[in-house]
Amino acid sequence: MKRLLAEDSGGPVVMLNLLRFAEGGAEAYREYARHLSETFLPRYGGEVLYAGTGSTVLVAEEGQSWDAVIVVRYPDRAAFSRMVADPDYQEVTRLRTEALTEAVLQATTPWA
């Protein structure tokens, strides 16, 4: 988190989420996503820009296909940091942990 904040340009940050579900994990993730969209994104100014199911892989190394992709915009990196530090949020992260076998969470910055 320190590195995320240290690289803060002061503007919005878009977080790329690549998800691989555990057996039966999609349901637990939907419950986590419901909490996120109903409570935490509004509280911290976040917005889901895209959420979708992985489909045909055209270019990737073996094992790099994903079950789902979610792209979330936050007003800044500090807002994201405050959200993940929120004790209420930390209570629901167990749903995310239970749902996934693997994930990538990467901050992105817009090209000039």
Side-chain angles (χ1 to χ4, degrees), residues 27-104:
E27 184 61 38
Y29 195 87
R30 277 192 288 276
E31 180 67 14
Y32 163 79
R34 184 182 65 76
H35 287 285
L36 194 69
S37 65
E38 290 178 4
T39 303
F40 302 105
L41 293 180
R43 186 180 293 175
Y44 294 98
E47 169 190 15
V48 174
L49 301 178
Y50 177 82
T53 302
S55 185
T56 306
V57 176
L58 299 176
V59 178
E61 298 293 323
E62 182 69 28
Q64 290 187 342
S65 63
W66 298 96
D67 295 326
V69 174
I70 302 174
V71 179
V72 183
R73 180 192 166 280
Y74 295 89
D76 51 43
R77 292 171 186 233
F80 176 78
S81 178
R82 287 191 307 275
M83 183 186 79
V84 298
D86 183 322
D88 294 334
Y89 174 80
Q90 290 178 5
E91 287 184 26
V92 301
T93 59
R94 68 169 177 74
L95 294 167
R96 185 180 192 278
T97 301
E98 292 169 3
L100 302 174
T101 60
E102 191 173 2
V104 170

Side-chain angles (χ1 to χ4, degrees), residues 10-26:
V13 63
V14 175
M15 302 297 283
L16 171 66
N17 296 260
L18 302 174
L19 310 174
R20 189 166 292 119
F21 296 122
E23 181 88 21

